[in-house]
Amino acid sequence: MFSEDVGTDPVCTEAFAVRTCNETFLITVPTAVLFTNEVLLFVNEHRNGWYGTASYFWARTIVELPLCLAVSVGYGLIAYHLSNQINDTSRAGKYVGVLCLASLTAQGIGLLIGTLAHSKANLANVMSVGVYLFNLLLCGFFAPLDNLPPAISWAQYLSFSKQTYELEMYVIYGSDRCPDGLVSKALIILDIQDYSATELNLYILIAHLVLVRITAFFFLVCKANHYKLEQLIYKLKVLMRCCASRCGGSSRLVEDTV
């Protein structure tokens, strides 16, 4: 893949699409399989009162953060320079930054899959492949997203690979790369010339990163406390009633004061 001259060929973008999907897949699967085996051990230790769910989850996240970032930075720098890109430190830094966000999001998806699989490594593998194929089909390269039916067009925003791919293309072929205000042919083909749309992709990718981590933490809390779906629904109803009663009580207090 690194031998392709994608730096001087503006329409040779498949290398970056495949690299992005492969990197996220290689991060998601090992994380999901390893964390699947750790969940059972954590549940037993949590039952013995050794530590809480929050301390375990966030401590594990912080410990794995340097390794994940180191792999992403090394991979990104090698991919950028060996693909014959222009020697621009700012552009290379932005490209590596996008890869780091994508890697952390993929790691969060692996934690979520590992929590849901719960000591079932085969199930974690199947779920990881399913997530990989979903992101691959909706990344915007292999199939035009404009041709999607309106009923499922919203699904493209659930694929973080789409945001990653478009951000990478804009960082590499945009940002005034062409002289005299011209636009690169790659951006015209991919229809990602608008900077505001690119900025929106960045916000969506960050939202993916945050929501995936929070969702993984939520399901880990449910596993640690042996909550079932019926119990969760009941607790949510109780919480909503408490909030409604407090809001009602505060409004009545304001009316009495007035």
Side-chain angles (χ1 to χ4, degrees):
M1 295 301 296
F2 293 139
S3 62
E4 296 189 21
D5 194 14
V6 297
T8 56
D9 186 359
V11 296
C12 188
T13 59
E14 62 269 15
F16 289 101
V18 175
R19 289 172 192 169
T20 301
C21 294
N22 286 344
E23 186 204 12
T24 53
F25 177 73
L26 293 176
I27 292 177
T28 301
V29 174
T31 303
V33 174
L34 292 176
F35 193 62
T36 297
N37 298 324
E38 293 180 9
V39 168
L40 183 60
L41 178 61
F42 161 72
V43 170
N44 294 331
E45 294 176 348
H46 180 272
R47 188 183 306 156
N48 296 331
W50 290 8
Y51 41 76
T53 307
S55 59
Y56 168 78
F57 183 83
W58 298 117
R60 191 184 192 282
T61 300
I62 294 173
V63 168
E64 292 183 346
L65 184 62
L67 178 60
C68 183
L69 292 179
V71 172
S72 300
V73 171
Y75 181 87
L77 291 176
I78 292 174
Y80 185 86
H81 291 290
L82 290 187
S83 58
N84 196 23
Q85 298 300 324
I86 59 177
N87 190 13
D88 187 347
T89 305
S90 176
R91 197 181 299 271
K94 293 177 182 178
Y95 175 74
V96 171
V98 172
L99 276 183
C100 289
L101 288 176
S103 300
L104 293 175
T105 305
Q107 186 186 50
I109 292 177
L111 294 175
L112 177 59
I113 293 174
T115 304
L116 295 176
H118 189 51
S119 72
K120 298 177 182 178
N122 292 333
L123 178 60
N125 282 325
V126 173
M127 294 175 66
S128 299
V129 173
V131 172
Y132 169 74
L133 293 177
F134 176 82
N135 282 281
L136 191 67
L137 293 175
L138 295 179
C139 70
F141 173 76
F142 297 98
L145 299 179
D146 295 335
N147 297 334
L148 290 176
I152 61 172
S153 60
W154 54 269
Q156 59 182 299
Y157 298 104
L158 299 179
S159 172
F160 73 95
S161 294
K162 173 185 178 296
Q163 284 74 40
T164 304
Y165 176 59
E166 292 185 357
L167 283 171
E168 289 178 352
M169 292 298 98
Y170 188 85
V171 166
I172 293 174
Y173 297 110
S175 302
D176 299 325
R177 174 168 176 163
C178 297
D180 301 328
L182 299 177
V183 181
S184 174
K185 188 176 181 179
L187 299 183
I188 296 176
I189 294 175
L190 299 173
D191 194 19
I192 50 177
Q193 309 170 46
D194 191 2
Y195 174 76
S196 59
T198 304
E199 190 176 9
L200 178 62
N201 283 330
L202 177 61
Y203 294 148
I204 294 176
L205 183 59
I206 295 175
H208 271 284
L209 171 62
V210 175
L211 290 177
V212 164
R213 296 276 176 173
I214 293 176
T215 306
F217 174 70
F218 172 76
F219 281 105
L220 186 62
V221 171
C222 297
K223 291 287 186 180
N225 295 278
H226 301 284
Y227 288 154
K228 295 182 179 180
L229 181 60
E230 294 81 4
Q231 294 174 324
L232 289 175
I233 295 175
Y234 175 75
K235 288 182 178 293
L236 289 175
K237 289 182 179 179
V238 172
L239 181 61
M240 293 175 62
R241 290 174 183 173
C242 292
C243 294
S245 62
R246 290 183 179 179
C247 293
S250 60
S251 62
R252 286 193 297 270
L253 180 60
V254 172
E255 292 176 357
D256 294 339
T257 305
V258 174

